[in-house]
Amino acid sequence: VQVVAAACAIAVLSAAATSARDEQQLAASSATVSLPSAPLTEEVYASTLARSASSENGQAILEASRWPARDLVPMAQKFRPATPALLANAVWLHLEAARASAGESARAQQAAAYAAVTRLVAMRPAAPDDMCRHGLLATIAALQSAMDVVGVSELVTRGLAVWPGEPSLLLARGALQETTPPPSRDSRSTRSSAHTVERRTALETALADYTAALAREPTLAEARLRRGRVLHRLGRLDEARPELERVRRESDNARLQYLAALFFGSLLEDAKRAGAAEAAYRDALSRYPGAQAPYLALANLRLRDGRTAAAQEAVTAMTLRSTQPGIADPRWAYEQGQAWDLERRLAVLRDSLER
Amino acid sequence: MTRMPAIIVLASALAGASSDAQTPVFRTGIDRVRVDVLVTDDDRPITGMSVREFAIWDSGVPQTVQMIERGGPVKVLLVLDVSGSVAGSELERLRAASMKLLDALNEDDEVGLLTFSERLEQSVPLTREHDAIRQVVTRLDAGGRTALFDAVFTGLTMGLGESGRWLVLVFSDGADTASWLEGERVLEAAQRSSVVVYGITSVMPDRGPDSEQWLQTVAGTTGGRVISAGATDLGRLFVEVLNEYRARYVLAYTPEDVPRGDGWHPIKVRLRGPKASRLRVTARTGYLSTN
């Protein structure tokens, strides 16, 4: 059973290294592998890294995902690569292995990637600029997916010291401010004036980062989406509206369009435009039929409007679908910054390595 | 999967035939307010009281009380937190507790299961086939963040148009980290619903009491309560809640001499007669009357 499971996992991983994949499926596949861990020596590490740069990268990821967690960070710190590209390869390999792992093992792989990427960035200008930047952005996305606030914050700070005004780094810093620490939704603490001031300051800081990112890169749709959301949360509805409408209308990313429609609905609800809000929530649902937030939003809107049966209809529709495959809601990852973009960032990093 | 029957509350109220129409949001002159009432003597539920022993005030105005149900089958919606923090021994404890609750149900009781992490999943709609729930409970897995507010809102809304006695039993072990809805919005939903919410919490020391306090507010609004489990036998608490809910009286009244569609109406339920001074009455704190 273990051999079959391992073979399946290798096949999945091989495909995964070069093409789009479903993260959950991969985690499930790798979870079935329970082969014993091989000891991690410098020779093994170097040889696996070398193979990860070749067409055998799927096998390399599988092997790396089985390395003992306790050995990973020390190895990433002491490894002396012959070229910066090999170090960048280590970043890629650890991040891919993290995706193929779970729990402590995944966290150790991310920490090893962190150790490797900080060394890589420090090697500039010997290390190619693109390779460093893409390695950094991919690692940031991985740490965002793990909600590692401290790690993200440190990498963003390092990155902005090297590439001041880099829009993707400003976006990451803004997202940290916007979503961290997560606002307490407790009714008592959200009423406290200290809490309100603290949240407002964080939102205004995030707004400044999104505005600066857009000034450098006006087509950065996620920065526009988040800018719109933050303006709404700051009560600046008139300024928020065009930002959200523009993303909904112009973005070519279904996930961002969905979020823009959902947030636009929320804005319209706060503007006491129940009919338009309902239309926006329906629009969100049409863009991401597996999402749950639009159903909840519709139910809440209708309930507040006294339309009890219609509210229940929305909840029933959501619950009836809830066990079907494909239920996913991009909103679940909104507080994880650009974690959703990890796969693309890894592919870009890989491209830069292959060049 | 069996689709849960949708009950059109207003229609049944207009027909005057159903004694258990539940919505407390009034849009016509003939709607009735339904109030689940618990009477206890030193935390021990007291049964066998008659309608004459109850008095209800709506916004300070005395009302004519009817007893519409006492005893009888119940509908229990289990709303269980299966987020990542529950993984491991806590999930085992939760599975065992759910089994104990299922064992304590009567044949004609209905039970449903809604699990939540950031994702809400109605694994089994309301059913009298309790084994269907047992099968799902044994397979429960934990992972992800906690959308407690969304889950409680869903439970409240599912019960809005349902007939019969509807208990939402929520288990959670920590703070909300993933809901779309704000806690205050869910509280509003609780004010509109005549579902009774009970909570059983197992808050980890480092996660703070925020969500437990919120759940206490919601449960209190509906006439339920929250029990902190700690190291107590979770199954015993689940059964205790079920038995307490069974012992409740379902009273109703048609609002008289109070305005309609004017928002929040506080309700007071008191006992008449010699027992009044020593017995404690617990009921929903009011309802929202909207146009």
Side-chain angles (χ1 to χ4, degrees):
Chain A
V1 172
Q2 285 183 343
V3 171
V4 172
C8 291
I10 291 167
V12 170
L13 287 162
S14 300
T18 52
S19 64
R21 66 184 171 189
D22 183 286
E23 202 168 329
Q24 286 182 332
Q25 194 177 15
L26 179 63
S29 303
S30 60
T32 61
V33 180
S34 55
L35 299 176
S37 302
L40 180 56
T41 61
E42 273 197 62
E43 292 71 27
V44 168
Y45 190 73
S47 134
T48 309
L49 271 187
R51 274 188 295 123
S52 76
S54 74
S55 58
E56 291 179 49
N57 53 38
Q59 176 67 29
I61 294 168
L62 179 65
E63 284 176 19
S65 69
R66 288 162 39 205
W67 285 338
R70 66 179 179 280
D71 296 346
L72 287 171
V73 175
M75 184 59 74
Q77 284 170 336
K78 75 178 179 187
F79 179 64
R80 293 286 168 262
T83 64
L86 210 50
L87 194 54
N89 225 94
V91 175
W92 180 85
L93 179 64
H94 285 305
L95 293 178
E96 284 289 3
R99 298 180 76 199
S101 313
E104 187 193 359
S105 177
R107 285 191 292 277
Q109 293 285 359
Q110 285 160 353
Y114 177 96
V117 84
T118 50
R119 289 180 58 206
L120 179 66
V121 171
M123 286 172 77
R124 288 175 65 261
D129 206 64
D130 263 14
M131 203 177 278
C132 295
R133 203 159 46 85
H134 295 319
L136 189 74
L137 291 176
T139 310
I140 286 172
L143 298 188
Q144 285 173 323
S145 76
M147 307 284 276
D148 180 350
V149 173
V150 174
V152 172
S153 177
E154 287 178 4
L155 287 186
V156 167
T157 303
R158 280 171 193 261
L160 284 170
V162 177
W163 301 284
E166 156 67 43
S168 295
L169 292 170
L170 290 172
L171 178 61
R173 191 171 69 181
L176 268 181
Q177 289 293 333
E178 181 189 351
T179 60
T180 313
S184 169
R185 295 179 174 89
D186 168 58
S187 55
R188 287 195 324 174
S189 57
T190 50
R191 284 191 193 120
S192 80
S193 55
H195 175 91
T196 307
V197 169
E198 191 181 305
R199 286 307 306 147
R200 194 168 183 89
T201 304
L203 290 176
E204 280 166 354
T205 308
L207 179 63
D209 276 338
Y210 298 146
T211 304
L214 284 167
R216 291 279 294 263
E217 192 177 329
T219 57
L220 192 57
E222 186 181 351
R224 196 168 297 288
L225 171 83
R226 288 182 178 273
R227 186 171 190 274
R229 179 64 171 164
V230 166
L231 282 166
H232 172 199
R233 291 178 66 190
L234 286 168
R236 293 158 63 177
L237 270 55
D238 289 345
E239 294 168 80
R241 183 180 176 141
E243 296 289 55
L244 295 174
E245 278 188 309
R246 184 166 163 189
V247 176
R248 190 165 72 135
R249 202 175 50 241
E250 295 177 8
S251 171
D252 57 1
N253 181 314
R255 153 185 215 102
L256 298 180
Q257 284 183 320
Y258 158 78
L259 288 169
L262 182 68
F263 296 159
F264 189 46
S266 173
L267 179 151
L268 291 166
E269 200 176 338
D270 284 351
K272 313 284 184 213
R273 295 186 54 200
E278 171 134 3
Y281 291 140
R282 284 180 178 280
D283 179 31
L285 209 48
S286 71
R287 293 172 192 273
Y288 239 91
Q292 295 192 327
Y295 284 117
L296 290 163
L298 282 168
N300 180 57
L301 178 71
R302 293 167 178 178
L303 198 58
R304 296 182 78 202
D305 201 29
R307 291 181 289 149
T308 305
Q312 198 182 28
E313 201 174 275
V315 162
T316 302
M318 178 184 73
T319 53
L320 283 174
R321 292 180 63 98
S322 65
T323 54
Q324 293 173 5
I327 296 300
D329 192 332
R331 193 201 61 80
W332 294 339
Y334 184 76
E335 292 188 355
Q336 291 168 290
Q338 291 70 55
W340 65 274
D341 200 28
L342 173 59
E343 185 176 313
R344 188 193 64 81
R345 290 183 178 190
L346 279 168
V348 172
L349 172 60
R350 182 84 198 172
D351 282 349
S352 74
L353 292 171
E354 288 174 357
R355 278 201 302 273
Chain B
M1 183 180 294
T2 309
R3 187 180 170 121
M4 195 187 315
I7 307 294
I8 300 170
V9 175
L10 188 56
S12 50
L14 284 166
S18 170
S19 59
D20 50 17
Q22 286 198 28
T23 179
V25 179
F26 302 101
R27 303 176 73 84
T28 75
I30 61 164
D31 284 305
R32 291 194 307 172
V33 179
R34 176 189 156 116
V35 189
D36 268 66
V37 178
L38 174 68
V39 182
T40 51
D41 182 358
D42 199 18
D43 290 340
R44 187 172 51 87
I46 299 297
T47 56
M49 300 190 71
S50 75
V51 68
R52 289 182 193 167
E53 293 176 276
F54 292 96
I56 295 183
W57 287 263
D58 180 328
S59 310
V61 179
Q63 303 292 321
T64 307
V65 184
Q66 294 172 284
M67 174 89 73
I68 60 172
E69 204 171 332
R70 185 172 45 190
V74 296
K75 297 180 178 184
V76 182
L77 179 66
L78 277 172
V79 179
L80 304 182
D81 180 347
V82 292
S83 63
S85 55
V86 176
S89 59
E90 193 69 352
L91 185 62
E92 280 308 315
R93 212 158 79 104
L94 182 57
R95 283 197 191 109
S98 303
M99 291 299 188
K100 262 194 183 173
L101 177 97
L102 292 166
D103 291 343
L105 289 171
N106 296 332
E107 272 183 15
D108 52 358
D109 291 334
E110 291 180 60
V111 59
L113 178 61
L114 177 74
T115 56
F116 66 97
S117 50
E118 60 262 309
R119 170 183 177 154
L120 309 174
E121 192 166 331
Q122 187 192 28
S123 310
V124 187
L126 273 190
T127 179
R128 288 193 180 87
E129 292 173 20
H130 303 167
D131 280 348
I133 305 277
R134 282 191 181 86
Q135 285 171 16
V136 175
V137 166
T138 57
R139 296 196 305 266
L140 282 182
D141 207 358
R145 294 185 294 146
T146 310
L148 174 66
F149 301 162
D150 288 352
V152 173
F153 175 84
T154 301
L156 286 165
T157 311
M158 283 168 73
L160 273 176
E162 285 293 315
S163 61
R165 310 179 63 195
W166 182 272
L167 163 67
V168 172
L169 174 52
V170 182
F171 168 82
S172 183
D173 82 329
D176 187 290
T177 55
S179 284
W180 166 253
L181 296 171
E182 295 290 333
E184 294 202 4
R185 291 278 200 263
V186 185
L187 187 56
E188 280 178 32
Q191 291 169 346
R192 294 169 192 274
S193 172
S194 58
V195 163
V196 178
V197 175
Y198 276 80
I200 295 180
T201 59
S202 171
V203 180
M204 291 193 289
D206 60 339
R207 298 187 67 184
D210 280 10
S211 293
E212 186 169 358
Q213 286 169 355
W214 172 84
L215 190 55
Q216 275 170 354
T217 307
V218 170
T221 299
T222 67
R225 66 188 176 111
V226 172
I227 305 169
S228 250
T232 316
D233 175 4
L234 210 51
R236 186 177 64 72
L237 295 180
F238 274 40
V239 174
E240 183 183 314
V241 165
L242 176 68
N243 290 337
E244 183 172 305
Y245 182 69
R246 272 193 203 292
R248 298 176 78 106
Y249 302 84
V250 184
L251 309 179
Y253 66 92
T254 303
E256 292 168 354
D257 302 325
V258 290
R260 304 291 176 102
D262 60 336
W264 180 248
H265 280 223
I267 296 175
K268 273 187 188 169
V269 183
R270 296 283 183 267
L271 295 177
R272 302 178 201 272
K275 298 176 190 167
S277 59
R278 65 184 172 84
L279 298 182
R280 183 169 177 234
V281 177
T282 309
R284 61 179 307 115
T285 55
Y287 65 93
L288 273 177
S289 176
T290 57
N291 286 317

